[in-house]
Amino acid sequence: MQAELEGDVPHVFAARMDLHITQRIAGWITTAWIICQSLCAQTGIRPTWEFREDRSLTVTLQELRHVVPRAAQAEMEKAYKAGLKHQPEQELEHLRKAILIDPEYIAARNNLGVCLLEIAPASAIVQWEEAIKVNPHKGALYNNLAIGYVLIRNLEGAERAARMAMGLDRTTNQARALLGFVLYEEHKYTAETSALLERASSEYDITHVFAARVLMERGEFQKARTHIQAYLSSGNTEYRKDASELLDFIDHSGQARDSSPDQF
């Protein structure tokens, strides 16, 4: 019996290696997905596929009380038009001018961070941190800050920011998905991570794949299979290869467990 078990070790090791390879691939997919889908820009910036407008129904006290000077509003409008014309340098220039006129113009500072993220993530983080000092109750700021921290691999900071974002806006799956992805990146395959990703999967198809990965780490293979099948039947084909590899791994693992003496 001992010899048989030892003979199985290479197969188990190979299966684990396959899983680690898939996990490594999934790491950059996570970051790309967060960047493309979760950034929140406030009203007045181009609503393209790159950014989601901040559609939160929550209006903070700072937003109610603060009066934005007309000159700053004009710069914000110019930034919006520059964005529509795909003129990033001009857009950045107008957003910077808006902030110089009104340092407490949170929407402009937030959007400046969104525009800076790809070219200078550290500078983007500074903008969101400054905005949070002025308005610590705006969930979109923490959402974007978490993404910035992910990009510079400060995952502890990303988790703190993501938890704040979710605490300020528990009504959206976006906040759940973001925190779930950050916990996944930290290799925290907990019941909390699983619950966040599973719940968010009702809105974001790709979340099924990461929910499945967490469930696999927790040994819940059949539940993971359900999520992978849900993704494969969603019509989303961008990560079909990765999902299919996970499904193959589950099938292989299931056969191994069925023939394992440990089950007896």
Side-chain angles (χ1 to χ4, degrees), residues 1 21 24 75 83 112 120 142 178 186 235 244 249-250 253 259:
M1 178 67 71
I21 290 171
R24 186 169 63 249
E75 293 298 334
L112 177 58
Y142 293 98
L178 178 58
E186 293 181 285
S244 297
F249 180 84
I250 290 175
S253 299
S259 60

Side-chain angles (χ1 to χ4, degrees), residues 23-24 27 153 155 180-190 193 213-214 217:
Q23 181 178 15
R24 186 169 63 249
R153 305 308 295 170
L155 296 180
F181 279 130
V182 171
L183 293 174
Y184 174 89
E185 286 289 292
E186 293 181 285
H187 307 299
K188 293 182 178 180
Y189 306 125
T190 64
T193 307
R213 279 289 295 112
V214 174
E217 288 287 345

